[in-house]
Amino acid sequence: VSQSRYRWLKLYLGMSQRMQGDFDKASELIQEARSYAQAMACSDIDFYSECDEESAKLFELNGMPEEAENIRQRLANVKEIKEGV
């Protein structure tokens, strides 16, 4: 499996765990995906944005809406910067 596919696979596995209600495992897989991407010097902003959006969903589901909102505000800033480039 290529490096790109591996990190996306980990992220998608995290998403599936979230949908099944296993929030701890979902969080672990999403963090693994992000850490792997960082270790491989990945510069794919869309990938990191997807990881952050999934983390925001997990925060909401765990009763932490403020943390979710902070992530979403950061994502909006990244999107604004990306569109301006």
Side-chain angles (χ1 to χ4, degrees):
V1 179
S2 74
Q3 292 176 359
S4 175
R5 287 184 180 166
Y6 183 79
R7 70 175 183 261
W8 281 103
L9 175 64
K10 283 286 192 181
L11 177 59
Y12 291 143
L13 286 171
M15 290 174 172
S16 72
Q17 291 300 309
R18 175 185 49 81
M19 289 184 246
Q20 292 177 24
D22 189 347
F23 304 145
D24 290 336
K25 185 65 176 174
S27 180
E28 179 183 321
L29 287 164
I30 292 164
Q31 185 56 42
E32 284 178 20
R34 176 183 277 287
S35 295
Y36 181 79
Q38 290 171 335
M40 295 294 119
C42 172
S43 61
D44 183 352
I45 293 172
D46 293 329
F47 176 77
Y48 291 112
S49 295
E50 286 290 327
C51 288
D52 286 347
E53 182 56 40
E54 279 302 307
S55 294
K57 289 176 185 177
L58 287 170
F59 279 125
E60 279 183 341
L61 291 167
N62 284 313
M64 298 189 267
E66 298 84 19
E67 288 85 349
E69 183 58 30
N70 288 339
I71 291 172
R72 290 203 171 101
Q73 286 177 354
R74 189 175 66 230
L75 286 170
N77 290 340
V78 168
K79 183 179 179 181
E80 186 178 310
I81 291 167
K82 187 177 171 187
E83 289 173 353
V85 172

